[in-house]
Amino acid sequence: MQPPQPRPEDYSLKETTPCLGGFMAAGDKRTSTYDLVEQMPYLYVRAVKAKDLRAKDGSGSCDPSVEIKLGNYRCTTRQFEKNTNPEWNQIFAFPKECIQSSYIEITVKDKDDIIGRVIFDLSEVPKRVPPDSPLAPEWYRLEGRKEGRVGELMLAVWMGSQADEAFPEAWHADAATVPSDGLASIRSKVYLTPKLWYLRVNVIEAQDLVPSDKCRYPEVYVKATLGNQSLRTRISASKSVNPMWNEDLMFVAAEPFEEHLILSVEDRIAPNKDEVLGKACIPLQNVDRRPDHRPVHSRWCNLEKHIAGDGEQKKKDVKFSSRIHLRISLDGGYHVLDESAHYSSDLRATEKQLWKPSIGVLELGILNAQGLLAMKTKDGNGTTDSYCVAKYGHKWVRTRTIIDSFSPKWNEQYTWDVYDPCTVITVGVFDNCHLQGEKSKGNKDSRIGKVRIRLSTLESGRVYTHSYPLIILLPTGVKKMGEVQLAVRFTCYSLVNMMQLYSQPLLPKMHYVYPLSVTQLDVLRLQATHMVSTKLSRAEPPLTKEVVEYMLDVDSHMWSMRKSKANFFRIMKVSTPLVGAAQWFDKICEWKNPLTTVLIHLLFIILVTFPELILPTVSLYMFLIGVWFYRWRPRQPPHMDTRLSHAETSNPDEFDEEFDTFPTSRAHDVVRMRYDRLRSIAGRVQTVVGDLATQGSAATGFHLLPSTSSGGYRRKRTACCETVPCQVTSECFPALATALHGWNLKCADNFSSRIVIFRCMLI
C-alpha cells in the first residue's frame, strides 16, 4: 500500500464575509470611523494618581502601587518609593470576551501590604463610543480593612473599543508576561518616512591647486561624501593645477539636512596612495532647490588646506587660495525611488509645489490571521507573537503585537490619501522577537509573509474582504505560513480626475526630460532604502532594518534562476497575442480561409477609399472586444500565482543560489557548477539572439552567414529569400534546426521558424 500523498497547499485568494461596522451590542449601531473592522469591546481602567495615603505601620511613608484584579487577570502599576501622593497615569485594557467576573477590584498596596481598595460592578460601568470625549477621572475613597481614612484614588473606568484613543497606549492583559522594557515593542504606531531629495553635484573645475611635488603632472580627482555615501569623479584629463571635469555626482539626502556635503580634491601620487590638496564643507540648508530642468547658478568654493597632525599644528593659519567651481542643487522634480518600480506606492515628485490634489482615499482594515505556524520556541512549546506592518506612500503603520496566538485578531483600521491609482499597498506579517527588552537586543523579527494590492484593480467605493495566503520563499522551497484577512476600500472623489491621470506619464516630468541611468537609479535606490530603514529604526517602537528591507524588496535585484524563468515565460505570454495576430495575417495572405480573406480585402479597399473611417473602425473594434470580454472581467484583486512565479517547480539548488549572499559564501565546486550552468544558459541566449538577428536581417534581404575563414559571420546578398530559412537553419544554426525538428515544423516554413526562435530558450 502506497503512503498517502501530501495535500497540495491552497494558495488561492478566498472571499470572506466578516461582520464589519461599529456595533457595540446587539441592535446598537453607533457611528464609528472603524467601519472596516469588527468591533472589539474592551474594559479600560485608567489609574491616574492617589493622595493622602496612610502607611500600615504608621510611619507616615509608603511605597505605593496599584493592583487591578479582574477574574484571572492581574496587573500592577509601577511602584513609587516613599511617596504618599503618587501619580501613575497608566491605562489598562481587558478584552470583554475574556472577562469571567462580574466585578473588578482595584487595590492600592504598600509593597505587599494592602492600604485600601475600590470595587466596581461591571454592569454599572459606562460605555464610551468615539467621537465622544474621553471619560473624566474621578476621586474614589479607599476602603481599608480597618475603619478610618486611608487615602483617595483617582480612577476612570469605562467600556470602549479599539477605536478609543487610549487603545495604542494601553497595557493589554494578554501582555502580562512581557517585561516593562519590552512593552514599547508591542504597541501599535504610525510612522512617517523622511522626505528624500536627489542631490546633484556638478563638479566643473578647480583653480590654483598646490601639489606637494611640483615636478610632475598632477592626477587630480574630486571625492564627494554625504553621510555614508561616497562618490568620486574621474581623473582630470588636463593634468594641471587647474583641472576640469564637468561631471555630475548624485546623492540621496533626507530632511532635516543634518549632514554636510564634504568635497575633497585629491591627487593620485602613486598606486593606492592619494594626497589631499584641499577640502570644502557645504551645508545642505544653503543649497538651491530645483523643481525643473533649468540649471541653477554655479558657485566658487574655497578649499581649506588639509594638514596632517594634531594639536597646535592643526590650528595654524595657512594662506591658501585654491578653489573649486561647482553647481549644486536639490532636484525636487524627481521622485526618489525607495521601493521597486513595479510595486511603487508613491510616484509624486519631491517638491511639494509639483503635487496635484489627491484623487481619493484608501482605507485598510487589518482584521485577523488564521493558521499561523510556530516561529519560535518558548518553554518547550512553539509560539508566535505576530504583528502587521502596512506601507503606502510616506506613511507606515504597525499594529499591536498579539502575544502567543496562532489566530491573532487585530481589527485595526488605517487611512491614506491617494494621488495615483497605479500604485500598490504592501502589508507584511512578522513575528516579534523583541518582547524581552534589553535581553532581546540583536534578535531579528521573523518574516511570516506579505501581501500586495494594486489600487487600479479595485472598484471605487466597494469593500473587498478577502483572506490572503501568506506565502514565503525559503531555501527549501515555497511555503504557506498562514492566512491574513483584510478589508480594503478605495474611494475615488472624481472619476474624471482619475481618468486624466491615465493619460499622463507615470513618473514626474524630470524623469523624461533629464533621465537618470539605470545604474544610477539602482545605486540611489539602495541609498534611499538605507536612509528609510535608519530613520524608522530610531523610532519608538522601532521598525527594524529587516522589516523595512523586506517591505521594500531590497534584494529584488539579485540574480535568480527562478525569476529569470518566470520573466521569460511572462514575455512569451505577452507576445502570444502578437504571434496569434501574425498567424492570422499569414493565413489571410495564403488564402487558408477564402471567405475571411475576401472580407478583409473588402475592408481594406473601403478604408483606402474612405480614410476618415479608419479611426472610427478601430475604435468600434476595440469597443466590441471590451464588451465581449466584460463578462470575464476579474471579480477580485489579483494575487500571487505560485505557478507563474515558478516557486513550486524550481529545484533546491536554484533556491539555494537565490538565497546565497553576495559575494557568495558557498564552496568552490558549487560556485563552479553554477557558473557553468549560467554559461550554458548564456550560450543559448546568445544563440537565440543571433538567430533573431539573422531572421531580422532576412527581411531586408541581407543575411549573416558563418565565415569559413575566421569562424565569424559574413554578409551575403541572396536572390531568393525563400531558400534562406532552410540554408540558415541547416548550415548556420544547428540549435534552431534541432528546435524545428523537435516541434515537427518544416524548415522552409519561414513564419514558423521565427516562432520557434522564441522557444529555443526552453531547450
Side-chain angles (χ1 to χ4, degrees):
M1 182 177 179
Q2 294 183 352
Q5 297 293 331
R7 291 184 58 187
E9 291 282 4
D10 184 9
Y11 300 119
S12 61
L13 192 65
K14 302 173 185 176
E15 189 169 2
T16 59
T17 56
C19 182
L20 305 182
F23 290 91
M24 292 298 296
D28 180 20
K29 185 174 182 180
R30 309 292 181 87
T31 305
S32 174
T33 56
Y34 274 46
D35 61 338
L36 290 184
V37 294
E38 300 177 7
Q39 288 289 347
M40 299 176 63
Y42 282 90
L43 173 64
Y44 289 97
V45 178
R46 180 185 177 191
V48 184
K49 57 184 177 180
K51 67 177 181 179
D52 301 332
L53 296 179
R54 190 176 65 180
K56 183 179 179 181
D57 55 5
S59 61
S61 177
C62 62
D63 303 328
S65 63
V66 176
E67 181 185 80
I68 301 172
K69 184 179 180 182
L70 178 63
N72 295 328
Y73 291 116
R74 188 188 300 267
C75 53
T76 307
T77 66
R78 62 183 179 275
Q79 187 177 30
F80 286 90
E81 294 184 1
K82 298 181 180 181
N83 191 340
T84 58
N85 298 288
E87 292 189 13
W88 297 282
N89 200 22
Q90 289 183 242
I91 303 174
F92 301 87
F94 303 89
K96 185 178 179 181
E97 60 182 8
C98 299
I99 295 177
Q100 301 176 354
S101 177
S102 59
Y103 65 92
I104 180 172
E105 181 180 337
I106 304 173
T107 306
V108 179
K109 289 187 173 183
D110 177 11
K111 295 183 179 178
D112 295 331
D113 298 330
I114 297 177
I115 297 177
R117 63 166 59 92
V118 180
I119 299 177
F120 291 90
D121 188 346
L122 295 184
S123 61
E124 301 297 330
V125 173
K127 295 180 180 179
R128 186 222 166 192
V129 180
D132 291 349
S133 299
L135 192 66
E138 300 179 18
W139 286 105
Y140 293 90
R141 180 173 295 178
L142 296 173
E143 297 180 2
R145 293 182 178 179
K146 298 180 181 180
E147 295 183 359
R149 185 180 181 88
V150 294
E152 291 182 317
L153 178 64
M154 180 178 280
L155 291 172
V157 182
W158 72 96
M159 291 295 300
S161 67
Q162 74 271 33
D164 203 293
E165 293 89 345
F167 180 81
E169 300 297 330
W171 183 94
H172 291 263
D174 60 351
T177 60
V178 179
S180 58
D181 57 348
L183 287 177
S185 66
I186 69 173
R187 292 172 176 166
S188 56
K189 290 292 181 181
V190 176
Y191 306 84
L192 294 177
T193 57
K195 192 175 183 180
L196 302 179
W197 295 75
Y198 281 150
L199 175 66
R200 186 186 298 272
V201 182
N202 179 230
V203 184
I204 303 174
E205 59 180 332
Q207 286 185 354
D208 302 329
L209 299 179
V210 184
S212 58
D213 186 1
K214 299 183 180 180
C215 299
R216 51 179 289 275
Y217 293 108
E219 299 180 2
V220 184
Y221 65 90
V222 177
K223 180 180 178 181
T225 304
L226 180 66
N228 66 334
Q229 307 172 68
S230 183
L231 296 175
R232 48 175 289 182
T233 66
R234 66 183 185 278
I235 295 177
S236 176
S238 59
K239 294 186 177 182
S240 66
V241 295
N242 298 311
M244 298 185 66
W245 296 277
N246 197 21
E247 188 173 344
D248 279 354
L249 304 177
M250 294 288 292
F251 298 91
V252 178
E255 289 187 2
F257 301 120
E258 300 174 348
E259 298 171 337
H260 295 173
L261 176 66
I262 307 298
L263 296 174
S264 173
V265 181
E266 302 185 13
D267 181 16
R268 175 67 53 85
I269 58 178
N272 300 324
K273 187 177 181 181
D274 302 321
E275 178 189 12
V276 179
L277 302 182
K279 283 189 175 184
C281 179
I282 302 176
L284 296 187
Q285 292 88 345
N286 303 331
V287 174
D288 296 331
R289 303 189 180 190
R290 185 174 68 157
D292 50 30
H293 63 282
R294 288 176 293 186
V296 297
H297 296 291
S298 61
R299 63 167 75 174
W300 286 94
C301 297
N302 293 328
L303 294 174
E304 298 178 359
K305 180 67 175 177
H306 176 73
I307 303 176
D310 298 323
E312 295 298 327
Q313 184 181 1
K314 214 169 185 180
K315 298 180 181 179
K316 275 191 204 173
D317 290 335
V318 179
K319 293 182 180 180
F320 196 63
S321 58
S322 298
R323 58 179 185 167
I324 186 170
H325 193 194
L326 304 167
R327 183 178 285 110
I328 307 178
S329 62
L330 288 165
D331 290 356
Y334 292 101
H335 167 67
V336 180
L337 292 169
D338 60 346
E339 52 194 339
S340 175
H342 305 293
Y343 306 110
S344 182
S345 62
D346 186 18
L347 301 170
R348 293 173 294 170
T350 303
E351 184 62 62
K352 197 170 184 179
Q353 298 176 356
L354 302 177
W355 292 4
K356 296 181 180 179
S358 63
I359 63 167
V361 63
L362 172 65
E363 298 167 276
L364 172 68
I366 304 175
L367 303 179
N368 55 62
Q370 297 291 334
L372 297 184
L373 302 182
M375 302 302 297
K376 56 178 176 283
T377 303
K378 183 187 298 182
D379 298 330
N381 299 319
T383 183
T384 299
D385 307 316
S386 55
Y387 66 93
C388 287
V389 175
K391 180 218 181 301
Y392 185 79
H394 295 288
K395 180 179 175 182
W396 295 58
V397 298
R398 170 180 177 152
T399 66
R400 187 174 68 90
T401 300
I402 306 298
I403 308 298
D404 194 14
S405 176
F406 299 119
S407 300
K409 293 183 179 181
W410 295 287
N411 284 307
E412 299 183 27
Q413 184 172 337
Y414 300 94
T415 306
W416 290 267
D417 288 328
V418 177
Y419 296 87
D420 196 312
C422 299
T423 48
V424 177
I425 182 173
T426 305
V427 182
V429 185
F430 301 88
D431 175 56
N432 197 332
C433 297
H434 295 81
L435 301 181
Q436 301 303 317
E438 294 293 332
K439 297 180 181 178
S440 57
K441 276 192 174 181
N443 295 346
K444 292 185 177 181
D445 291 351
S446 304
R447 306 171 178 178
I448 298 180
K450 65 182 171 184
V451 175
R452 290 192 177 100
I453 303 174
R454 193 172 293 275
L455 270 59
S456 58
T457 62
L458 305 178
E459 297 179 12
S460 178
R462 176 183 169 185
V463 178
Y464 291 84
T465 54
H466 290 89
S467 181
Y468 295 83
L470 295 172
I471 303 171
I472 192 169
L473 198 63
L474 301 173
T476 55
V478 64
K479 189 173 183 179
K480 181 179 177 181
M481 308 295 291
E483 297 181 356
V484 61
Q485 187 173 344
L486 305 175
V488 185
R489 178 172 58 203
F490 168 55
T491 305
C492 179
Y493 299 146
S494 172
L495 182 61
V496 176
N497 292 341
M498 186 174 69
M499 296 304 297
Q500 183 184 4
L501 287 176
Y502 282 99
S503 64
Q504 298 176 355
L506 194 63
L507 293 171
K509 186 178 179 180
M510 274 287 283
H511 285 271
Y512 308 102
V513 176
Y514 205 4
L516 303 174
S517 65
V518 176
T519 305
Q520 273 184 313
L521 288 175
D522 288 341
V523 174
L524 293 173
R525 182 183 168 230
L526 290 177
Q527 294 296 337
T529 55
H530 175 77
M531 287 189 173
V532 171
S533 63
T534 302
K535 174 73 174 181
L536 296 182
S537 63
R538 297 173 60 185
E540 186 65 32
L543 272 183
T544 56
K545 180 181 178 181
E546 62 271 11
V547 171
V548 177
E549 290 183 350
Y550 182 58
M551 296 288 289
L552 295 179
D553 275 342
V554 172
D555 55 351
S556 60
H557 65 287
M558 299 299 293
W559 159 259
S560 169
M561 183 74 70
R562 177 189 60 84
K563 293 180 183 178
S564 301
K565 288 181 182 179
N567 290 333
F568 172 74
F569 281 100
R570 287 170 60 195
I571 294 175
M572 293 295 298
K573 190 173 182 179
V574 169
S575 62
T576 298
L578 300 177
V579 174
Q583 288 177 334
W584 175 75
F585 183 75
D586 193 47
K587 291 178 181 179
I588 291 175
C589 295
E590 296 180 1
W591 292 79
K592 296 289 183 66
N593 189 338
L595 179 60
T596 304
T597 303
V598 170
L599 292 177
I600 293 299
H601 279 78
L602 289 176
L603 179 62
F604 177 73
I605 293 173
I606 293 173
L607 294 180
V608 170
T609 307
F610 303 99
E612 63 272 10
L613 296 179
I614 295 177
L615 186 59
T617 303
V618 173
S619 301
L620 178 63
Y621 178 70
M622 296 177 64
F623 173 75
L624 293 177
I625 291 178
V627 172
W628 177 257
F629 286 102
Y630 179 76
R631 52 182 169 174
W632 293 297
R633 70 190 186 278
R635 304 286 179 164
Q636 57 190 18
H639 188 57
M640 176 183 177
D641 189 346
T642 55
R643 293 172 298 176
L644 182 64
S645 62
H646 284 254
E648 293 180 294
T649 58
S650 299
N651 58 60
D653 182 69
E654 293 177 356
F655 285 126
D656 183 73
E657 182 182 20
E658 185 171 349
F659 282 89
D660 191 10
T661 58
F662 187 84
T664 181
S665 58
R666 300 298 183 262
H668 295 292
D669 54 343
V670 175
V671 177
R672 187 180 297 110
M673 181 271 294
R674 291 174 180 171
Y675 175 64
D676 290 338
R677 181 176 62 191
L678 187 59
R679 289 180 60 195
S680 175
I681 296 173
R684 296 173 191 173
V685 174
Q686 177 179 280
T687 303
V688 171
V689 172
D691 291 345
L692 284 173
T694 302
Q695 293 294 327
S697 60
T700 61
F702 290 91
H703 302 277
L704 296 176
L705 299 179
S707 175
T708 56
S709 59
S710 61
Y713 288 97
R714 58 188 175 88
R715 201 174 184 191
K716 179 180 179 181
R717 178 74 176 180
T718 58
C720 180
C721 295
E722 294 298 326
T723 61
V724 170
C726 182
Q727 181 184 9
V728 169
T729 301
S730 59
E731 297 180 5
C732 312
F733 303 99
L736 182 57
T738 305
L740 288 169
H741 178 71
W743 288 94
N744 296 321
L745 298 176
K746 297 179 182 179
C747 291
D749 190 348
N750 193 17
F751 177 73
S752 298
S753 63
R754 288 174 184 157
I755 297 177
V756 172
I757 290 175
F758 292 99
R759 297 178 177 173
C760 287
M761 191 117 32
L762 306 179
I763 303 174

